Amino acid sequence: MAETKATGSPGEGGMKKTLSLWNFFTIGFGAIIGTGWVLQVGDWMVVGGGPVPAMIAFLLGAIFLVPIGAVFGELTAAIPISGGIVEYVDRSFGRIPSYVTGWLLALGNGILCPWEAIAISTLVSDMFGSLPGLEWLRAVKLYTIMGADVYLIPTVIALGFAAYVIYLNFRGAQSAAKLQAFLTKALLCGMLLAMGISIVTGSPDNAMPVFSQVADAGGSEPATSAGNLFAGVVSVLVLTPFFYAGFDTIPQQAEEAAEGLNWNKFGKIISLALLAAGGFYIVCIYSFGTILPWHEFVESPVPALACLKDINMILYVVMLCIATLGPMGPMNSFYGATSRIMLAMGRKGQLPDKFAEVDPESGAPRLACAVLAIITVIGPFLGKNMLIPLTNVSALAFIFSCTMVAFACLRMRFTEPELPRPYKVPGGKLGIVLACLAGCVIIGLLVLPFSPASLNAVEWAIVIGWLVVGAVLMLVTRARRAS
């Protein structure tokens, strides 16, 4: 164990040890829930064929991922280093699998930074811009990309939000964690607001029929392609890894845990964040799916907000403000987590040595934060129609990396049985095997051509392009080290 810490978490790195268990929970929970539930709860109902299939899918998604969360808890408690995924896979399967895993996870997590910036600009232009007196928000149109209009003022506002998150992450983990705690409370208020409206004005009958195809929805998913309840559940299930992505931000910053942290409790925090997010999603789907008859609900572009506008304008504006602040949470968490992945890859020699350098005052990995800053500020210029392709690509990259960690955990039970493990996966090796199987099932649903939710040509092009860039970068890094 002493050798592991000397290798994986060098004291000279200057990482600041300030994060508590509550900080870790809010980092993970806030990264998971974000505002996907506001923007896409209607799309989930359309894809699944109703609120009930969507709720079943998110319940199954949480059940599938809890064993994977437990695997992360075991490995992180045993080897608490930043970007630990790179280390776990390297120790189990070698350099190249470790590089591919880290690079894909950087894609899966890094995508979410511009994704959230797009979400902010979309909310400002589509929702605030439609309010009386705020039409000027859409006065200056820049261009149209993939059928989506991009406006100047919403883009500038989204860039302002992104700049604040970037600034906090350059200041270090503790500054970012304080923002996360505030945003988590705001998002919980949004959920409680939706629940209250559903109880007062809604009815469970509005969620019926259990399965029904939709042909003319107003969101980014206009029609239900699934032909039955099972296909509807599967179609939403393969999207859930993207909307549960975020629990891995907890172990990515483990090296910055406060001194004296209870590592057994830390291992449980990851699964707790997953289960809490699952409950949050199910309650939100039920609440919005019962406010109005769900077929009527999905007719609007952002139905979670549109339905409130018809009920009470004050409640609508409150929810809109919460929804606009919300993307900062996952942007903040994934910014920190992805920069730590790049830090770990720099330490392992998989990326140039500059990625391994941290700021002596803040403890932030400087070059990684700078790279992510560039990626994040590009987001608002891409247009809202990039949300769905980025969602599916991120889901595949994320679940592949998680599955590799599950296999690494299983292998290390045999290769390093004496490694101190303050927290262990419930069920032992059987629990780890279940995590491996769960990951393989979801990967199969995303890549097999006959799956109702397999990636399309554009999404495969993004994945392959990222792998090609990674291969070139790896070769360049090796050549420089050799010289």
Side-chain angles (χ1 to χ4, degrees):
M1 183 64 175
E3 181 182 352
T4 297
K5 286 198 172 185
T7 302
S9 55
E12 68 272 14
M15 305 298 285
K16 305 299 182 183
K17 299 183 179 296
T18 57
L19 301 181
S20 65
L21 290 173
W22 173 246
N23 290 148
F24 280 117
F25 176 81
T26 57
I27 286 170
F29 181 72
I32 294 171
I33 58 175
T35 50
W37 54 278
V38 175
L39 290 175
Q40 295 192 291
V41 64
D43 292 335
W44 299 339
M45 295 180 197
V46 174
V47 171
V52 175
M55 287 189 287
I56 294 172
F58 272 91
L59 175 61
L60 292 176
I63 293 171
F64 268 88
L65 290 173
V66 161
I68 296 177
V71 161
F72 273 91
E74 176 174 317
L75 289 178
T76 309
I79 312 171
I81 62 173
S82 289
I85 287 177
V86 177
E87 174 72 15
Y88 313 148
V89 179
D90 184 45
R91 288 168 65 152
S92 303
F93 301 112
R95 185 181 184 85
I96 292 179
S98 170
Y99 183 86
V100 173
T101 301
W103 189 242
L104 279 176
L105 188 62
L107 171 66
N109 282 356
I111 274 178
L112 287 157
C113 295
W115 194 99
E116 301 298 344
I118 296 171
I120 293 172
S121 63
T122 299
L123 285 167
V124 173
S125 62
D126 290 2
M127 308 312 295
F128 277 106
S130 65
L131 291 175
L134 294 180
E135 296 86 354
W136 53 269
L137 288 170
R138 294 186 290 196
V140 182
K141 177 181 171 181
L142 297 177
Y143 49 82
T144 299
I145 180 171
M146 294 179 63
D149 295 332
V150 177
Y151 298 95
L152 174 62
I153 297 175
T155 299
V156 171
I157 292 173
L159 289 174
F161 278 78
Y164 182 62
V165 171
I166 292 167
Y167 166 73
L168 289 181
N169 277 274
F170 270 100
R171 288 189 59 186
Q174 186 59 30
S175 296
K178 290 178 180 178
L179 172 64
Q180 202 67 18
F182 165 75
L183 293 171
T184 297
K185 294 171 185 175
L187 291 169
L188 288 173
C189 288
M191 181 191 72
L192 292 173
L193 177 60
M195 285 177 59
I197 295 171
S198 173
I199 292 171
V200 173
T201 67
S203 167
D205 293 338
N206 291 334
M208 298 292 115
V210 171
F211 175 83
S212 176
Q213 291 183 312
V214 175
D216 54 353
S220 55
E221 291 289 340
T224 305
S225 58
N228 54 60
L229 176 62
F230 174 77
V233 171
V234 170
S235 296
V236 180
L237 177 62
V238 295
L239 298 177
T240 60
F242 174 84
F243 294 101
Y244 282 121
F247 69 84
D248 62 304
T249 60
I250 299 173
Q252 299 308 343
Q253 301 183 58
E255 193 174 324
E256 291 151 282
E259 297 290 347
L261 190 83
N262 186 320
W263 287 102
N264 179 269
K265 290 183 179 179
F266 174 92
K268 299 172 183 176
I269 285 289
I270 302 173
S271 296
L272 180 62
L274 262 172
L275 292 172
F280 181 97
Y281 282 134
I282 291 169
V283 169
C284 284
I285 295 168
Y286 175 82
S287 297
F288 285 114
T290 55
I291 290 176
L292 302 171
W294 74 266
H295 272 272
E296 180 181 339
F297 174 80
V298 299
E299 291 176 357
S300 303
V302 186
L305 294 171
C307 70
L308 298 183
K309 191 174 183 180
D310 295 333
I311 294 172
N312 185 287
M313 182 58 71
I314 295 176
L315 295 178
Y316 169 74
V317 173
V318 170
M319 182 67 84
L320 183 54
C321 291
I322 292 172
T324 307
L325 285 173
M328 293 178 68
M331 186 193 299
N332 184 37
S333 291
F334 286 111
Y335 198 104
T338 309
S339 64
R340 271 61 178 181
I341 295 166
M342 293 180 175
L343 168 71
M345 295 180 75
R347 287 175 172 176
K348 302 292 290 185
Q350 298 173 350
L351 290 178
D353 292 338
K354 283 286 185 181
F355 280 93
E357 295 179 4
V358 299
D359 186 271
E361 294 184 6
S362 66
R366 290 177 292 193
L367 181 56
C369 284
V371 170
L372 281 170
I374 296 170
I375 294 173
T376 302
V377 298
I378 290 173
F381 297 97
L382 298 178
K384 63 182 179 181
N385 288 346
M386 277 297 292
L387 288 174
I388 292 297
L390 292 180
T391 297
N392 294 332
V393 169
S394 180
L396 175 61
F398 170 72
I399 199 61
F400 173 83
S401 302
C402 289
T403 305
M404 287 297 294
V405 171
F407 278 104
C409 184
L410 182 62
R411 182 172 174 80
M412 287 174 69
R413 281 292 188 101
F414 295 97
T415 59
E416 301 186 46
E418 302 304 319
L419 178 71
R421 293 173 169 86
Y423 172 82
K424 292 186 177 181
V425 175
K429 293 175 184 175
L430 176 60
I432 302 173
V433 169
L434 290 176
C436 297
L437 292 175
C440 289
V441 168
I442 298 176
I443 290 172
L445 292 172
L446 283 166
V447 303
L448 295 176
F450 56 81
S451 168
S454 59
L455 268 63
N456 61 33
V458 173
E459 293 155 359
W460 275 118
I462 296 172
V463 173
I464 294 170
W466 182 258
L467 290 174
V468 169
V469 171
V472 171
L473 190 57
M474 180 175 65
L475 292 174
V476 170
T477 303
R478 284 186 174 182
R480 286 184 177 177
R481 285 182 172 272
S483 64

